[in-house]
Structures are given as C-alpha cells and as structure tokens.
Amino acid sequence: MAKVVVIGIPGEPGLWLADLGNGTVRPLDQVTGDLATANKLRAQGGTIVKNVDLAVAVSFADKVFSGHFDG
C-alpha cells in the first residue's frame, strides 16, 4: 500500500509530497525523470492519476470535516 502521494493542484505550479506514514506534507524542491514529464503534461492541462482511488480538492478543510466537498 502506498504511503507517499505526490500532489499537484491546478493554479499551483509546484508539486507537493504527502508522507502519510509521517503525517507530513512538503513542497518538492526538485522534480526529475518521469515525474517531471508528468508535471509538464499537468502544466499543459493534463490529469495524471495512478494508484489513487479518491482525491478531492476543497476550498477549506472545514468542508471535509463536515462531510462536504466542492463540486
């Protein structure tokens, strides 16, 4: 089971690394290889999903805790 997730949000140029085991999220300072290729496609409007079965971006964390999400 995956314990690390790379996240990209529309309008945010950089990528983020969420380490679920450690409970941390941090920006990726350097993106290389296949991840850089995927990030370039994302910057052009593409969506890349691999080994994730639910991902929802919300405007405020309170919406998640109340059981709601935008959309």
Side-chain angles (χ1 to χ4, degrees), residues 17-63:
L17 181 72
D19 185 328
L20 306 180
N22 288 322
T24 58
V25 178
R26 66 178 181 90
L28 279 175
D29 296 329
Q30 196 174 56
V31 180
T32 61
D34 291 337
L35 187 56
T37 301
N39 193 41
K40 184 177 179 180
L41 291 170
R42 179 183 78 91
Q44 296 169 351
T47 300
I48 297 97
V49 178
K50 183 175 181 181
N51 296 331
V52 175
D53 61 8
L54 175 67
V56 179
V58 297
S59 54
F60 298 99
D62 290 347
K63 290 189 177 197

